[in-house]
Amino acid sequence: MNYSGWPDPGELVVGKIDEIADFGVFVTLSEYEEKRGLVHVSEVASGWIKNVRDHVSLDQTVVAKVLDVDESSQQIDLSLKDVNDHQRSETIQDWKAERKADNWMAIAFGEDIADEQYATVANAFLAEFGSLYAGFEEAAIHGTEALDGTDLDDDEIDAIVETARENVSVPYVTVSGYVDLTCAESAGVDVVREALDAAAGNGEVPDEVELDVTYVGAPEYRIRVQAPDYKTAESQLEASAERASSAITDRGTAEFHRERRSDDE
């Protein structure tokens, strides 16, 4: 994905060095169409520079900070020395993610996707999620629901979700808790089983969440939740324990705790 406009001063950009001169380095910007910037020798590295080529090489991919943009003279001034290691690593990571997302666009809509359609989808993702990659990631996690806030049509949304779920590796977190279930009635086993079914969600757990309830040791059961983020995971864990407690109310007891108490699995 290439932007058609100009970068803003202060922005970090990715580019490839295409020419090295004694007075500085020319960089073709990877994210902007037909844009090229100059890193003056004083902005290549800190301290005195005897030979520019000791610090950079031809065809090297670099992260630069935009110092100034003069559209009338088609000039972009860049700095390499003003970018620290953390910024460089994070920017390259984001750039690689966007390149992946660009490939996913071709998978979703075909290699010959029209520029107009590409722009429509890309602008919708940028407005809603901040980047193409984030849009695909949200589609992989939440499905069509994630794209409800966009103006994309149903066919576009279906293509995006299908592609996202086949290609995006979603970061998940896992949390666990325990619930002790007891029932002294003659039908106690059935009562506990009903509570366990309730804890498991009875099919009502969101698609992006994996929840399972397993026996640890009487009367203790483990509730394990895998979700895209901690907030969702914790919420689903508490909801599971609450469902178990509600199901067994007046017929037994339910106690939720975070640490395991039984000795054996």
Side-chain angles (χ1 to χ4, degrees), residues 104 133-144 146-147 160-172 207-208 228:
W104 295 336
Y133 185 88
F136 275 101
E137 190 172 60
E138 287 297 310
I141 295 170
H142 300 291
T144 58
L147 305 176
I160 290 166
V161 171
E162 181 180 353
T163 301
R165 289 191 160 164
E166 290 179 355
N167 294 278
V168 181
S169 297
V170 179
Y172 277 86
D207 290 341
E208 69 269 20

Side-chain angles (χ1 to χ4, degrees), residues 244-263:
S245 178
S246 297
I248 207 169
T249 298
D250 298 331
R251 304 185 68 181
T253 64
E255 181 186 359
F256 176 66
H257 51 94
R258 295 305 297 260
E259 300 299 326
R260 177 184 163 197
R261 292 174 179 171
S262 60
D263 294 329

Side-chain angles (χ1 to χ4, degrees), residues 32-159:
Y32 288 86
E33 292 180 351
E34 301 178 354
K35 296 296 185 294
R36 192 173 186 238
L38 171 66
V39 183
H40 187 268
V41 63
S42 63
E43 293 294 335
V44 171
S46 299
W48 182 69
I49 296 177
K50 181 179 180 180
N51 189 335
V52 177
R53 291 169 179 80
D54 291 338
H55 300 272
V56 295
S57 58
L58 204 60
D59 293 329
Q60 177 184 350
T61 297
V62 296
V63 176
K65 182 178 180 180
V66 178
L67 299 179
D68 189 46
V69 175
D70 188 340
E71 295 184 31
S72 61
S73 62
Q74 301 283 299
Q75 184 170 325
I76 302 172
D77 295 328
L78 305 171
S79 173
L80 296 180
K81 73 176 185 180
D82 284 355
V83 181
N84 61 42
D85 289 342
H86 174 72
Q87 291 173 321
R88 186 177 299 107
S89 175
E90 191 173 67
T91 302
I92 287 291
Q93 195 170 34
D94 289 343
W95 173 64
K96 288 181 177 179
E98 288 304 281
R99 290 179 68 188
K100 284 185 180 180
D102 190 59
N103 289 332
W104 295 336
M105 288 284 282
I107 294 173
F109 301 106
E111 294 286 349
D112 57 348
I113 177 175
D115 290 344
E116 183 178 349
Q117 184 180 28
Y118 189 108
T120 297
V121 176
N123 288 333
F125 273 24
L126 291 173
E128 189 75 11
F129 310 108
S131 72
L132 268 181
Y133 185 88
F136 275 101
E137 190 172 60
E138 287 297 310
I141 295 170
H142 300 291
T144 58
E145 182 180 322
L147 305 176
D148 284 347
T150 69
D151 293 328
L152 302 177
D153 62 39
D154 291 343
D155 289 340
E156 289 173 328
I157 290 175
D158 288 343

